[in-house]
Amino acid sequence: MAGNANPFESLQSQIDEAATHLDIGDDVLERLKYPERVLETNLSIERDDGSLARFKAFRSQFNGDRGPYKGGIRYHPSVTRDEVKALSGWMVYKCAVVDIPYGGGKGGIVIDPAAYSDSELERVTRAFAAELRPFIGEDRDIPAPDVNTGQREMNWIKDTYELLENTTEPGVITGKALDSGGSEGRVEATGRSTMLTAREAFEYLGTDMEEATVAVQGYGNAGWIAANLLEDLGASIVAVSDSSGAIYAADGLDTRAVKDFKNETGSVSGYVDAEEEFSNDDLLTLDVDLVVPAALENAIDEALARDVEADVIVEAANGPITPKADAVLTDRDVHVFPDILANAGGVTVSYFEWVQNRQRFYWSEERVNDELETVIVDAFDALTDTYEEHDLENFRTAAYVVAIQRVVDAFEESGTFP
Ligand code: GLU
C-alpha cells in the first residue's frame, strides 16, 4: 500500500467536495457523512488444536434511505472500524450511481485467512453469521463477497441464517454458488463493469481501445476478469501484478495463461513469458494508456500520483486513490473513472441475484450480462452528462453529484422519524 490515508476521512472529503456543487444544507450533508450504526463484535472459535481464538469483526450500516443496506464482507488482517465505515459509505453512493434500490453496508473480520484451516474458517464465518442474524435479512441488510471471501463463505452464512431462522431465504445474502441460489455472471460482474466503464471511457475520450496498452494492479477476481475482458476488446495487457509483484511483456501478456500460472503457483511472479518483473508501484507509474488498480485502498497516494504516466485510470478496487492523489491527477489531466461506477457490476449482479431469489426464477448468463451492460452504460451517460452540465473538475465528483442527489431525494421524500 503506497498511502496511509484514513479511508473514512477520504470518503468524507469526497462527499464534501461533491456537495459544493449541490444545493444541500449543512445539516443534511452531516447526515450523509456518518454511518447509521456499526456493530463491533468479538468472535471466539475453537481452533483445530483445541485452543480458543478471538477475532474482531464489524458490520457498518451506513445509510438505508434508498433500500436495504447492501455490501460485502472482507477477511483481511488490516481491516479496521474506519475502513469498514468508509467501505459501507462507498456502497451507498455506488448503489445510487447505478440506481439500484439499496442503501450501503459493509462488514469485515480482522483475520489473515491464509493462516487458518478450512474448518476454522467455516467456524469463524458461522460465528459471524450468528452475530449478524438479528441485523440482516433480505429486506434489512444483505451481505455479499468482498476481499478474500467468495461463494463458499456466502453459502455458510446463508445456511447458518436459514437454520437459525427456520426458513429458506436465499436473498439474505448474494454471491452464492449457483446451486445455492447464486446468479450466472456474478463472479465475473466486477471485472465486467470495469471493462464496460473502460470501453465507454475510451469512446467518450475518443481513444481507440484496440491500440491501447493496459496495466492491471491485482489479479484476484476483479483484476483478472477485467484484464481478460479488455484483452478480448483488443487491448494489450502489458503488465499485471499481485501482492508478490508485477510482471511485464511489451507485446502483451496472455491473461488466461497468467491466471492458470497463478492458480498453479499461487502468484503471478515467475510467469515464464514475462520479460521483466518489478514492483506494484512501478506498474502503477508505467507509460500505458490505461491503469486499472484492482487491489486495496490507498494504492496511489499524492507522491505516486505525480509519477503516473497513464492517461486514464479505471478503479476496480474500492478507494485505491487518496483524495490528495486525486487532486494531483486532476491537475495533471489524468482522467479517473471512479470505483463507485467502475466496480459497481458486483453489486448490480448481486441485485439481479436477489431479484431472482425473490422470484424463484433464474436468468441466463446472457440476460444477466445484457442487463448489466444497460445499467453501467446508463450510469456512465448520467455521469458524463453531469460532468458537462456542471462543468466539473473530474469524473469522481460527477459520480458523487449524481449519487448524493439521489440519496438526498429519497431522504427528503420520506422525512425523518421521530
Ligand atoms: N464487495 C462488492 C463491492 O464492493 C460487492 C458488494 C455486493 O455485491 O453487495 O461492491
Side-chain angles (χ1 to χ4, degrees):
M1 227 191 268
N4 56 5
N6 177 320
F8 185 56
E9 288 167 13
S10 299
L11 165 79
Q12 293 190 320
S13 85
Q14 289 160 348
I15 296 171
D16 283 336
E17 174 62 38
T20 62
H21 304 280
L22 285 163
D23 186 18
I24 298 178
D26 285 348
D27 49 347
V28 175
L29 190 64
E30 187 73 1
R31 216 184 145 265
L32 299 178
K33 288 164 59 178
Y34 293 88
E36 289 174 14
R37 66 191 66 79
V38 183
L39 168 75
E40 178 174 335
T41 175
N42 286 287
L43 310 170
S44 289
I45 62 132
E46 191 176 313
R47 294 210 60 178
D48 293 342
D49 65 6
S51 64
L52 270 186
R54 179 188 66 87
F55 304 93
K56 186 166 281 209
F58 306 96
R59 180 78 183 169
S60 169
Q61 298 179 330
F62 201 94
N63 179 291
D65 291 336
R66 288 174 43 87
Y69 310 103
K70 184 84 191 82
I73 294 176
R74 66 171 53 181
Y75 291 1
H76 200 276
S78 70
V79 163
T80 63
R81 190 181 176 96
D82 271 2
E83 183 196 45
V84 172
K85 279 159 60 180
L87 289 160
S88 68
W90 284 323
M91 287 309 303
V92 175
Y93 300 106
K94 186 184 304 187
C95 293
V97 99
V98 288
D99 208 4
I100 57 175
Y102 289 137
K106 197 74 150 207
I109 306 183
V110 187
I111 185 172
D112 174 8
Y116 296 89
S117 71
D118 287 353
S119 56
E120 289 170 335
L121 290 174
E122 178 170 354
R123 289 198 286 280
V124 176
T125 305
R126 288 187 183 277
F128 195 29
E131 279 296 321
L132 287 175
R133 184 177 64 96
F135 303 96
I136 62 175
E138 61 182 6
D139 288 315
R140 194 171 295 135
D141 181 355
I142 307 141
D146 198 78
V147 173
N148 289 330
T149 59
Q151 293 180 339
R152 183 179 70 164
E153 289 73 19
M154 301 307 111
N155 296 347
W156 286 332
I157 294 173
K158 168 183 170 281
D159 183 63
T160 309
Y161 181 87
E162 289 183 336
L163 274 170
L164 295 173
E165 291 283 323
N166 188 28
T167 188
T168 57
E169 193 180 317
V172 66
I173 195 152
T174 59
K176 303 176 293 291
L178 278 184
D179 291 327
S180 301
S183 175
E184 296 284 356
R186 174 63 185 84
V187 171
E188 297 81 17
T190 308
R192 182 168 290 276
S193 64
T194 304
M195 173 278 285
L196 291 167
T197 301
R199 187 191 75 187
E200 295 302 299
F202 271 52
E203 202 181 309
Y204 181 77
L205 298 168
T207 323
D208 187 359
M209 185 59 85
E210 290 192 25
E211 299 292 312
T213 51
V214 181
V216 179
Q217 185 214 17
Y219 218 59
N221 192 33
W224 121 254
I225 297 285
N228 186 249
L229 294 175
L230 287 165
E231 189 184 12
D232 285 351
L233 289 185
S236 181
I237 315 302
V238 295
V240 304
S241 71
D242 59 17
S243 53
S244 72
I247 57 172
Y248 175 84
D251 291 334
L253 295 155
D254 176 339
T255 57
R256 162 71 59 187
V258 174
K259 175 65 176 164
D260 291 343
F261 180 82
K262 183 173 162 74
N263 283 350
E264 268 164 44
T265 65
S267 61
V268 300
S269 297
Y271 175 65
V272 272
D273 289 332
E275 288 156 22
E276 273 182 70
E277 299 209 2
F278 38 66
S279 71
N280 268 278
D281 285 1
D282 290 337
L283 175 141
L284 294 165
T285 51
L286 271 179
D287 186 6
V288 287
D289 299 301
L290 169 65
V291 162
V292 177
L296 292 172
E297 301 93 84
N298 294 342
I300 301 179
D301 66 2
E302 193 179 1
L304 202 78
R306 290 197 198 95
D307 295 331
V308 166
E309 298 269 352
D311 304 308
V312 179
I313 300 178
V314 174
E315 296 179 324
N318 289 308
I321 299 179
T322 67
K324 283 185 178 151
D326 243 348
V328 172
L329 295 168
T330 300
D331 278 352
R332 297 188 54 228
D333 290 329
V334 178
H335 297 298
V336 175
F337 289 86
D339 46 7
I340 60 170
L341 170 69
N343 72 29
V347 73
T348 301
V349 177
S350 278
Y351 167 52
F352 299 157
E353 180 176 332
W354 179 80
V355 167
Q356 295 170 73
N357 289 156
R358 307 197 75 171
Q359 296 189 337
R360 300 318 208 237
F361 175 76
Y362 287 84
W363 304 357
S364 67
E365 185 175 357
E366 194 188 357
R367 175 165 178 196
V368 169
N369 289 344
D370 285 352
E371 302 257 5
L372 174 62
E373 181 162 356
T374 304
V375 168
I376 298 298
V377 171
D378 286 355
F380 186 92
D381 291 346
L383 186 152
T384 45
D385 285 353
T386 300
Y387 173 77
E388 288 170 19
E389 263 166 41
H390 292 249
D391 195 18
L392 297 173
E393 63 270 33
N394 60 46
F395 296 103
R396 188 186 312 282
T397 302
Y400 277 94
V401 166
V402 171
I404 291 173
Q405 190 63 58
R406 287 182 178 155
V407 177
V408 169
D409 288 347
F411 168 65
E412 288 184 340
E413 283 160 15
S414 308
T416 37
F417 171 85

